[in-house]
Amino acid sequence: MRGRDLINNGLPDELILEIFQRLDSKPTRDACSLVCKRWLNLERFSRTTLRIGASFSPDTIVTLLSRRFLHITSIHVDERLSLSLPPPPLPLKRKRASKTSSSSSSSSASSSKRRKLSNKTRSGGAENAESCSLTDAGVIALANGFPLIENLSLIWCPNVSSFGLRSLAQICTSLRSLDLQGCFVGDQGLSAVGKFCNHLEELNLRFCEGLTDVGVIDLVLGCAKSLKSIGVAASAKVTDLSLEAVGSHCKLLEVLFLDSECIHDKGVVAVVKGCRRLRSLKLQCVNVTDAAFSVVGDFCVSLEILALYSFQQFTDKGMKSIGKGCKNLKDLTLSDCYFVSCDGLEAIAHGCKELTRIEINGCHNIGTRGLEAVGKSCARLTELYLLYCQRIGNSALYQIGKGCKSLETLHLVDCAGIGDAAMCSIAKGCRNLKKLHIRRCYEADYLHILFSMVGNKGVIAIGKNCKSLTELSLRFCDKVGDAALVAVGKGCSFLQQLNVSGCHLIGDVGITAIAKGCPQLTHLDISVLQKVGDASLSELGDGCPMLKDLVLSHCHYVTDNGLNHLVNKCKLLETSHMVYCPGITSAGVATVVSSCSHIKKVLIEKWKVSERTMRRAGSILSYLCMDL
C-alpha cells in the first residue's frame, strides 16, 4: 500500500477477524484476502466452511485446501455442482529477453499447467468422469487434513466406500453432522461411524442403497445418546427393525425423514412411542396407515412439522387423530394424499391453531370448505401454498384474507377456481403480504372463465394495498396486462423479484412502470413477452441499477441496442438468459460479457458466440444446444 496504512497500523488482528466473520458473501471474503499478505493470512485463519464441487481431481483439491485453511469445521462436497476453470490466457508477445526471461518462463510454465488442467476438465469420456469423483483416498486426505471437522456432507460421491468412511470415522471423532446422500457405503462403514463418532447428532442416509438393518442398528447403538436427526430414503434393505432400534435407544431424536416402501406401521409406531421429543416427521411410506397416525396423535405432543407425501392409506381418520393430539403443530404439508378431504383439513384447523405454514399439493378431495376452516381458526398463518387444488374457490381465500392478517407468502399453481375476487380479498385483508406467486390460475371451461381467472383487477388490488411486496410472480397469467404492472410500480417500491413470463398482454408500458417505481429490483423474468422491446430495457437500465438476474428469452423485439443500454447501467448483472431473441447478435453477447464485471452465466445459442467472446468468457457461457 502506498503512503500511510491507517487500517493495518491501527487495527489489531482480533478486530479484523471479527470483521471477516461478519462477511456473508464468499466473493467479498476472497476480495479481502487479496488486499495484502496480512489480510490473506487472517482470512485463512477465520474461514470455517469449505464447499467443493466436481473438479478435475477432488482428491488433490482436498489435500491443497487442508494446507491452506487450518480452522475448518464444516465441509460440503457435492458432486452435482460443477467447477470450471477459466480458459488459459493468450501468450504474450516476447519483449526484451534480458529483463523478462525469468518472468516469461514462469508465466509459460503456469499457463502450461492451466492448459493441462483445463484440458482435463473439458475432456469427455468415462475416464474423465471417474477422475472427477471423490475417492476413498480423498476422504482419508480430508480426515488427516481436517481432524477436528464437525459437519461433513459427501453428496453423490459414488466412489466413496466403507473403507474410506471407516478411516474417516477413526480420525474425525468430533463429527456432529454427517450427510452421505447418494454414497454407496455399506454396513461396515456405518458401523465404524457408530463406534467412533459418539457425538453424532445428524445423519442423512438418503439413497444409500448399499445399507441394511445391520449397519443402521450398529450406528444407532453407538450414537444413541446424541442422535437427534435421521433421514433414510430408497434403501430397500432398511426395514422396521432399524426403526425399532431407533425407538428403543434414541430418546433425544427430534427429526425423522423416511421414504421407503419397506416401512410399515410397526416401525413408525416404535419411533413415535420411544422418541417423545419428536418435532419434525416427514414420511413418504405407502404402507403406513391411519393406525400409525393414531399413535402419532397420542404420543407426539411436541410435533411441530408434519409432511406426508403420496400416502395411499392415510385418510381423514388419521388427520383427526393429529388434530386432536398435536396441538403445537406449526407446519403441515400434504402432497398427493388423495383420500384426505375437507373433513380432515377441518379437524387439523380446529385442533392445531398454532399453524403458521400450510402446503396442499395435488390433494384433489380438499376443497373450499376445508380451507375456509383454516381461515377461521388459524390466525397465525404466514405461509400458504396451494398447488393443483381444483376444488378450492374464491370464498376460501376470502376467509383467509379475513382471518389470517399475518399472511406473508401465498403460492397458487393451477388452481382453476381462484380468480380476481380471491386476489382482492387477499389484498384487502393481508396487507403484510411479501411474496405472491401465481401460475396458470384459470378455468379451461370457457363458460366459467370470466369468474375464475386472475387478471388485472386482482393484481391492481395487490399493488394498491400490499406495500411491503418484495416478490411477485405471475407466470402465464394470460389476462394480466400493463395496467396491473402500472399499479404494482406505483405501490410496491420494495419489489425485488418480478416474473411475468408468458403474460402476453404486458408490453413496454408495464415494464417501464416497474423500472420507474421499483428501484430495488434484482431479478426480472420477461421471457415470452412479444410486446416488449428496447424501450423497456432502456428504462430498466436507468431505473434498476441493482438488477442481477435477467431472463428475456423469446422476446422478439429486443435488440443489441436495448441490451447495450441496459448493461451499461446495470453493472451488477450476474446472469442473463436470452435465447430465441432474433434481434440479439454476437455483438450483443460480447457487450454483456465485456460490460458486466460480475457476470457468471449467459445462456445463448452457440452460433451467436464469436471466437473472441469464447476465448474471453468461455467458462460463463451456457448453450441451449451443444451441437445442432
Side-chain angles (χ1 to χ4, degrees):
M1 294 183 182
R2 294 183 179 180
R4 188 177 180 184
D5 189 350
L6 298 178
I7 296 179
N8 277 327
N9 290 335
L11 296 181
D13 290 348
E14 294 77 12
L15 188 55
I16 296 179
L17 285 172
E18 182 68 24
I19 294 173
F20 285 168
Q21 290 175 357
R22 295 176 183 271
L23 299 176
D24 296 330
S25 171
K26 181 181 179 298
T28 303
R29 295 175 66 96
D30 291 341
C32 289
S33 67
L34 299 177
V35 171
C36 60
K37 289 185 178 180
R38 182 193 181 198
W39 285 28
L40 175 62
N41 293 329
L42 289 176
E43 199 279 329
R44 291 178 178 177
F45 185 85
S46 66
R47 188 166 298 202
T48 59
T49 301
L50 292 178
R51 297 184 183 275
I52 305 172
S55 60
F56 68 96
S57 179
D59 295 350
T60 304
I61 285 182
V62 167
T63 303
L64 295 175
L65 291 175
S66 65
R67 298 172 184 172
R68 177 172 181 179
F69 302 104
L70 305 178
H71 296 84
I72 298 297
T73 58
S74 300
I75 296 180
H76 305 275
V77 182
D78 189 346
E79 299 200 350
R80 298 171 300 179
L81 304 177
S82 62
L83 184 150
S84 57
L85 293 173
L90 295 175
L92 299 176
K93 292 184 178 180
R94 260 187 144 175
K95 296 184 180 180
R96 284 178 292 183
S98 58
K99 294 184 179 181
T100 61
S101 59
S102 60
S103 62
S104 72
S105 62
S106 61
S107 175
S108 62
S110 61
S111 297
S112 176
K113 289 180 180 179
R114 291 182 63 186
R115 276 193 294 271
K116 290 179 181 179
L117 297 181
S118 180
N119 291 334
K120 287 183 179 180
T121 57
R122 290 179 171 83
S123 61
E127 183 179 351
N128 183 57
E130 192 76 14
S131 66
C132 291
S133 184
L134 188 71
T135 66
D136 288 338
V139 173
I140 295 173
L142 185 150
N144 291 326
F146 307 100
L148 301 179
I149 188 175
E150 296 180 358
N151 306 304
L152 176 62
S153 295
L154 301 176
I155 300 178
W156 296 107
C157 299
N159 290 335
V160 174
S161 68
S162 291
F163 176 76
L165 187 59
R166 180 178 180 83
S167 302
L168 175 80
Q170 291 175 339
I171 300 173
C172 303
T173 57
S174 300
L175 270 178
R176 296 185 179 275
S177 176
L178 180 61
D179 189 343
L180 298 174
Q181 179 173 321
C183 295
F184 200 80
V185 295
D187 293 334
Q188 294 180 349
L190 208 58
S191 299
V193 173
K195 180 178 180 181
F196 297 104
C197 304
N198 303 129
H199 301 289
L200 193 68
E201 297 179 0
E202 299 178 4
L203 178 64
N204 183 11
L205 300 176
R206 301 180 190 183
F207 307 105
C208 295
E209 299 178 357
L211 295 177
T212 70
D213 287 328
V214 174
V216 176
I217 293 174
D218 286 346
L219 182 137
V220 166
L221 295 176
C223 305
K225 295 182 179 180
S226 60
L227 207 56
K228 296 181 179 180
S229 175
I230 300 177
V232 178
S235 298
K237 296 182 180 180
V238 176
T239 67
D240 292 333
L241 292 176
S242 295
L243 295 190
E244 289 177 343
V246 171
S248 299
H249 301 281
C250 301
K251 303 301 181 182
L252 300 181
L253 192 72
E254 298 179 357
V255 178
L256 177 64
F257 175 89
L258 295 175
D259 178 1
S260 175
E261 297 180 358
C262 302
I263 301 297
H264 302 78
D265 288 345
K266 183 179 180 182
V268 175
V269 169
V271 173
V272 168
K273 287 185 176 180
C275 307
R276 301 295 183 89
R277 297 189 181 187
L278 204 62
R279 292 187 303 102
S280 176
L281 182 61
K282 299 182 179 182
L283 303 176
Q284 186 169 345
C285 305
V286 295
N287 292 315
V288 175
T289 69
D290 287 332
F293 290 100
S294 177
V295 180
V296 171
D298 292 337
F299 287 88
C300 294
V301 294
S302 301
L303 194 66
E304 296 180 1
I305 301 174
L306 177 64
L308 305 176
Y309 305 93
S310 303
F311 270 77
Q312 300 177 6
Q313 303 181 61
F314 176 66
T315 68
D316 291 336
K317 182 180 179 181
M319 292 281 282
K320 292 176 181 178
S321 299
I322 293 168
K324 183 179 179 180
C326 304
K327 301 296 184 181
N328 293 317
L329 192 66
K330 296 179 180 179
D331 189 327
L332 174 66
T333 298
L334 299 174
S335 180
D336 297 327
C337 296
Y338 303 119
F339 299 103
V340 175
S341 69
C342 292
D343 293 337
L345 190 57
E346 278 185 318
I348 291 288
H350 293 155
C352 308
K353 298 183 182 297
E354 301 294 320
L355 275 170
T356 60
R357 182 186 182 277
I358 295 178
E359 178 178 338
I360 302 174
N361 184 351
C363 301
H364 302 306
N365 287 319
I366 294 180
T368 300
R369 178 165 55 89
L371 199 62
E372 284 178 341
V374 172
K376 293 176 182 178
S377 301
C378 304
R380 298 187 180 183
L381 193 70
T382 59
E383 299 180 37
L384 178 61
Y385 301 80
L386 302 176
L387 295 84
Y388 312 103
C389 298
Q390 305 296 332
R391 297 190 178 186
I392 294 179
N394 287 330
S395 60
L397 289 194
Y398 168 78
Q399 197 62 52
I400 293 291
K402 185 178 179 180
C404 304
K405 302 295 184 181
S406 300
L407 191 70
E408 296 182 356
T409 301
L410 177 61
H411 281 233
L412 303 172
V413 176
D414 285 2
C415 296
I418 294 175
D420 280 338
M423 289 299 99
C424 291
S425 300
I426 291 293
K428 294 176 181 178
C430 308
R431 295 178 180 268
N432 293 322
L433 194 68
K434 295 180 180 179
K435 300 178 182 180
L436 176 60
H437 292 240
I438 304 174
R439 190 180 76 185
R440 288 200 305 264
C441 286
Y442 53 81
E443 176 63 60
D445 183 359
Y446 292 102
L447 295 176
H448 304 284
I449 195 168
L450 295 178
F451 300 98
S452 55
M453 174 174 284
V454 176
N456 280 340
K457 184 179 179 181
V459 180
I460 288 174
I462 294 291
K464 290 181 177 180
N465 294 281
C466 302
K467 305 296 183 182
S468 301
L469 198 69
T470 59
E471 294 183 17
L472 177 61
S473 178
L474 303 168
R475 295 181 61 194
F476 298 99
C477 293
D478 294 342
K479 294 299 180 180
V480 174
D482 287 333
L485 290 197
V486 170
V488 172
K490 290 181 178 179
C492 306
S493 58
F494 298 106
L495 193 68
Q496 297 176 8
Q497 299 184 24
L498 176 64
N499 188 336
V500 289
S501 174
C503 301
H504 60 85
L505 295 181
I506 292 177
D508 287 333
V509 174
I511 301 301
T512 297
I514 293 294
K516 292 181 177 180
C518 307
Q520 299 184 29
L521 197 69
T522 60
H523 174 89
L524 178 62
D525 188 340
I526 55 174
S527 55
V528 204
L529 298 191
Q530 303 302 327
K531 296 183 178 181
V532 170
D534 289 341
S536 294
L537 268 62
S538 178
E539 293 291 344
L540 287 169
D542 293 334
C544 303
M546 300 177 66
L547 195 64
K548 292 184 178 180
D549 303 305
L550 177 64
V551 182
L552 44 83
S553 300
H554 295 271
C555 290
H556 292 174
Y557 294 101
V558 171
T559 70
D560 292 343
N561 293 331
L563 194 61
N564 181 59
H565 190 96
L566 184 139
V567 299
N568 284 333
K569 299 293 183 67
C570 299
K571 296 297 184 182
L572 300 179
L573 197 66
E574 295 181 356
T575 63
S576 178
H577 294 196
M578 44 192 183
V579 296
Y580 295 125
C581 297
I584 295 179
T585 68
S586 59
V589 178
T591 299
V592 172
V593 170
S594 60
S595 301
C596 304
S597 58
H598 296 275
I599 198 73
K600 297 179 180 178
K601 180 180 179 181
V602 176
L603 181 63
I604 191 68
E605 294 94 333
K606 190 173 184 179
W607 60 271
K608 288 185 179 181
V609 179
S610 66
E611 292 185 3
R612 182 177 180 182
T613 302
M614 175 70 74
R615 292 195 301 268
R616 183 170 188 171
S619 62
I620 65 171
L621 296 172
S622 298
Y623 306 112
L624 184 66
C625 297
M626 296 301 294
D627 295 304
L628 295 178

